[in-house]
Amino acid sequence: MDRNGLEKQCLEVRRLIVKSVYEAGSGHPGGSLSGVELLTTLFENFLKFDPKNPKSDSRDYFILSKGHCAPLLYSIMAFKGYFPVEELKTLRKLGSRLQGHPDALKLPGIEVSTGSLGQGFGVAAGIALSLKIDKKVNKVYALLGDGELQEGTVWETAMAASHFKLDNFCAVIDSNKFQIDGSVETVMGVEPIKQKFESFGWECVQINGHDLKQVDEAYQAFLSHKSGKPFLIVADTLKGKGVSFMENTEKFHGKAPSPEEFEKAMIELGEKAL
Amino acid sequence: MKKYLALREIYGQKLVELGKNDENIFVMDADLSGSTRTVLFKNQFPDRHFNMGIAECNMLLFAAGAAISGKTVFASSFAMFETGRAWEIIRNTIAHDNLNVKIVSTHAGISVGEDGYSHQANEDIALMRAIPNMQVLCPADALETGAMIEYAAETKGPMYIRLSRETFPVLFQEESYSFTPNQAKVLKDGKDVTLIACGRMVDFALEASHKLEDEKISVRVLNASSIKPMDSEAIIESARKTKLIITCEEHSIIGGLGSAVIELLSDSYPVKVIRMGLKDVFGQSGKPQELFKFYELSTEDIIKTVKENLQ
């Protein structure tokens, strides 16, 4: 998909995120909105998958380690044909396949259930190890939050991925600078992320996570790198990107908009409310 | 004279045997491969054995990932660290997604001995038993260990197998033994009291039962090697026959085999159940035999408990 197409798609994904969280009455819009360009670009232009055959041997693996941003993943999956867009209205409701955090047993296309932070990253690395041992060419991608890096197992995984030279593994940090209790810097600083991972033996690039050109180049860099190291994209992003009052604050980390806020958000995203 | 074998040695040998026929088997360890004996597999199949370093949580995350990509993964460390430290990963990722990861922990219970409380997991059965989808197995001798490892390899889904540091006496013979999942075998019939035991305590229970026979006390002994799922039929039948049940485990009386028996009988056939185990305390350093005596879990303690409760 070209730049124009991606821009439109990203806007549409943002609308679906806000709509589905509003419908659910709860959920995590802030960190979903910050990762839109990162994940839309991946699914549109890089990730190999078949919604009709989600367990296909030739697929690449994507794991949403920041599982609370399920509305982001679900919106993109709906577009890609894993399930009807209409189904997004069932998010977080009893009996829905769209659980509050991704559930691999309920929704085909989810590789592993996530929600407990840090775990998806380690599982993704384990998949990468297994693929590498079997000399397979499939790639593994994981999306993490910056606050998530406070989990200790993240660093165990970072160490092991480097030790086993998992160059088929690409981790993306959606560094939106906020977590539920406040700014990452004030809660428990994680910077400098890039240098930390470099010292753990990773190949790293740092980009603006909303600049589609930079996002595209970062994934290209992963696919062409020959360092023999696991690959990290540190993406500087804006929490709540696209909805002015959700931007740059922890306020909408885990909260749905009110009816008034929803109206305002949809107008900002170029659409009249439902 | 009893013959003794180390269950963890059998575990390592069985892994090698299975690895020869199944390239899909991965083995992971957290810097204890010499102690857990997964080193035997490592020596034969270095490409399929992964030392994950002193990082049990990450080991089980990698195990989950390998299982997702189609591997049968055996992951080992000491019971304390593997089931304790990594519990939430086992719960949220491995058990919830029903992944094919076999958690085979060694050095469970007080028989770890001299290393003391920090290395003696007396809560691991409780921890694993509380998780949906998780099978919990605890073998009573070497032959049973081998059979369980085979069963684990051929059965999809998460499983916890509890092994010990100590050597165990050989209880079963190849000709007459077969492992049936979910079954508690009656090792000795009796009508006055039933001893339901697991792991090392099975031998103590059998010894006690023979000595009690000399005093005309008829003791039934069950090997509850499948702690979850539990053989409810065999246990309810025992409750009907003997009216008194004593559970024997090298584990806390909270949440382990004894608790499982009480939960079952309380619902279906209430009789008096006495739980022998660690009475809500931590272990300490000492020789295994000294510790079994100190915590009142020796053969003599079983005999005493039977007599006290039959009066």
Side-chain angles (χ1 to χ4, degrees):
Chain A
M1 190 178 270
D2 66 11
R3 182 87 179 268
N4 267 343
L6 276 176
E7 269 174 19
K8 280 183 192 148
Q9 185 82 331
C10 287
L11 189 60
E12 194 57 40
V13 169
R14 287 204 158 84
R15 288 184 195 123
L16 287 181
I17 288 168
V18 175
K19 277 184 198 171
S20 58
V21 173
Y22 176 67
E23 285 273 345
S26 69
H28 299 81
S32 294
L33 291 167
S34 63
V36 170
E37 282 78 11
L38 296 168
L39 210 56
T40 304
T41 303
L42 180 66
F43 271 73
E44 288 298 341
N45 290 354
F46 293 95
L47 195 75
K48 294 195 183 84
F49 61 94
D50 178 3
K52 294 196 173 52
N53 184 13
K55 295 277 180 203
S56 152
D57 282 344
S58 61
R59 76 188 186 277
D60 291 333
Y61 292 74
F62 170 73
I63 288 166
L64 184 70
S65 196
K66 45 182 274 177
H68 56 284
C69 297
L72 166 62
L73 178 58
Y74 294 156
S75 297
I76 293 173
M77 286 175 79
F79 269 124
K80 300 314 293 182
Y82 281 95
F83 54 85
V85 174
E86 274 294 293
E87 197 172 334
L88 287 170
K89 288 186 177 165
T90 70
L91 173 66
R92 289 180 162 251
K93 290 180 183 151
L94 184 66
S96 175
R97 299 193 290 175
L98 310 184
Q99 292 284 297
H101 295 83
D103 185 327
L105 298 185
K106 291 194 160 63
L107 187 64
I110 301 295
E111 303 286 359
V112 63
S113 302
T114 53
S116 175
L117 292 174
Q119 297 194 20
F121 182 46
V123 173
I127 295 171
L129 174 68
S130 176
L131 292 169
K132 202 173 165 63
I133 295 297
D134 289 347
K135 300 189 168 52
K136 291 190 175 156
V137 296
N138 319 47
K139 307 294 181 202
V140 183
Y141 298 87
L143 182 66
L144 291 79
D146 50 353
E148 185 175 2
L149 303 180
Q150 291 157 0
E151 282 287 358
T153 61
V154 165
W155 302 100
E156 295 182 9
T157 298
M159 191 165 25
S162 166
H163 179 82
F164 291 117
K165 302 183 171 56
L166 302 182
D167 55 0
N168 54 347
F169 182 31
C170 176
V172 184
I173 313 290
D174 178 2
S175 183
N176 63 30
K177 319 292 186 281
F178 284 90
Q179 56 193 108
I180 195 162
D181 259 1
S183 77
V184 174
E185 194 186 347
T186 54
V187 173
M188 180 56 64
V190 296
E191 293 291 351
I193 297 171
K194 182 166 175 274
Q195 285 89 330
K196 279 187 175 130
F197 274 85
E198 276 170 350
S199 73
F200 271 69
W202 286 58
E203 181 81 5
C204 303
V205 295
Q206 186 144 10
I207 60 164
N208 174 344
H210 300 305
D211 182 323
L212 288 168
K213 184 164 175 284
Q214 289 188 34
V215 173
D216 187 273
E217 284 169 359
Y219 288 124
Q220 295 281 6
F222 162 60
L223 290 175
S224 60
H225 87 114
K226 300 268 184 284
S227 65
K229 298 173 177 180
F231 197 88
L232 185 79
I233 300 171
V234 186
D236 290 309
T237 57
L238 201 56
K239 188 110 174 179
K241 167 79 173 172
V243 178
S244 61
F245 56 90
M246 292 186 180
E247 284 182 1
N248 228 9
T249 174
E250 73 277 10
K251 233 179 98 189
F252 284 92
H253 172 92
K255 190 171 85 99
S258 67
E260 297 73 34
E261 287 166 337
F262 175 64
E263 287 282 337
K264 201 175 164 217
M266 294 315 288
I267 289 165
E268 285 188 23
L269 293 171
E271 191 183 297
K272 274 291 215 183
L274 292 170
Chain B
M1 201 55 190
K2 283 179 183 169
K3 186 185 170 196
Y4 285 77
L5 287 170
L7 308 193
R8 53 199 169 109
E9 194 68 27
I10 303 297
Y11 167 48
Q13 290 168 5
K14 188 56 84 175
L15 283 179
V16 172
E17 194 183 310
L18 293 166
K20 282 179 184 154
N21 300 318
D22 188 354
E23 286 193 352
N24 241 11
I25 291 180
F26 270 20
V27 177
M28 296 187 180
D29 208 298
D31 191 41
L32 289 167
S33 61
S35 299
T36 64
R37 304 311 292 152
T38 67
V39 69
L40 300 177
F41 186 90
K42 181 187 181 154
N43 293 340
Q44 287 279 323
F45 310 105
D47 294 346
R48 291 189 273 137
H49 182 282
F50 304 93
N51 197 329
M52 301 306 299
I54 310 164
E56 297 76 17
C57 295
N58 190 51
M59 170 174 76
L60 288 168
L61 290 173
F62 266 67
I68 286 169
S69 75
K71 305 297 176 190
T72 302
V73 187
F74 285 84
S76 289
S77 180
F78 288 0
M80 185 69 260
F81 314 121
E82 193 168 26
T83 68
R85 186 180 292 241
W87 186 85
E88 195 251 357
I89 286 157
I90 297 171
R91 190 255 186 200
N92 266 331
T93 298
I94 292 172
H96 176 273
D97 283 7
N98 228 342
L99 297 177
N100 203 16
V101 176
K102 315 304 173 186
I103 298 159
V104 184
S105 297
T106 65
H107 294 64
I110 50 170
S111 59
V112 165
E114 293 82 348
D115 276 351
Y117 92 94
S118 62
H119 285 54
Q120 298 166 350
N122 297 318
E123 305 82 9
D124 55 317
I125 296 174
L127 287 171
M128 292 298 102
R129 200 168 73 79
I131 304 177
N133 290 343
M134 186 63 78
Q135 279 194 60
V136 180
L137 305 176
C138 179
D141 88 340
L143 195 68
E144 186 159 68
T145 303
M148 278 182 182
I149 300 301
E150 267 179 37
Y151 166 72
E154 68 200 21
T155 310
K156 295 268 185 229
M159 214 175 274
Y160 174 55
I161 301 182
R162 182 189 215 231
L163 305 180
S164 304
R165 172 178 179 239
E166 282 294 275
T167 55
F168 277 29
V170 170
L171 300 180
F172 310 125
Q173 310 307 320
E174 200 131 3
E175 313 81 70
S176 53
Y177 178 84
S178 68
F179 175 71
T180 317
N182 323 341
Q183 201 179 73
K185 290 230 167 69
V186 180
L187 302 182
K188 187 183 160 303
D189 204 2
K191 59 180 175 39
D192 297 327
V193 57
T194 302
L195 302 176
I196 302 178
C198 66
R200 184 67 182 91
M201 300 299 292
V202 174
D203 173 53
F204 294 166
L206 278 171
E207 274 187 347
S209 73
H210 295 311
K211 288 183 182 167
L212 286 162
E213 288 293 329
D214 299 342
E215 301 179 42
K216 308 283 181 242
I217 298 172
S218 168
V219 184
R220 186 177 166 91
V221 181
L222 249 63
N223 174 21
S225 55
S226 178
I227 294 168
K228 186 186 173 189
M230 182 157 258
D231 185 347
S232 49
E233 231 171 83
I235 288 165
I236 292 169
E237 192 202 344
S238 298
R240 269 202 194 99
K241 277 196 168 168
T242 68
K243 308 295 187 249
L244 173 65
I245 284 180
I246 298 174
T247 61
C248 314
E249 61 192 310
E250 190 192 343
H251 182 278
S252 171
I253 54 167
I254 299 173
L257 170 65
S259 296
V261 168
I262 284 177
E263 287 158 19
L264 169 72
L265 291 179
S266 164
D267 285 346
S268 7
Y269 198 89
V271 295
K272 187 172 184 185
V273 180
I274 307 295
R275 285 165 297 155
M276 295 185 72
L278 276 101
K279 299 178 182 73
D280 199 17
V281 291
F282 291 107
Q284 61 176 307
S285 292
K287 290 194 171 65
Q289 286 315 311
E290 293 170 343
L291 292 168
F292 279 118
K293 283 204 173 74
F294 184 87
Y295 292 104
E296 300 177 337
L297 293 172
S298 69
T299 301
E300 288 64 39
D301 292 305
I302 298 175
I303 292 170
K304 199 172 139 220
T305 308
V306 168
K307 286 182 179 171
E308 278 171 7
N309 287 282
L310 271 180
Q311 282 161 7

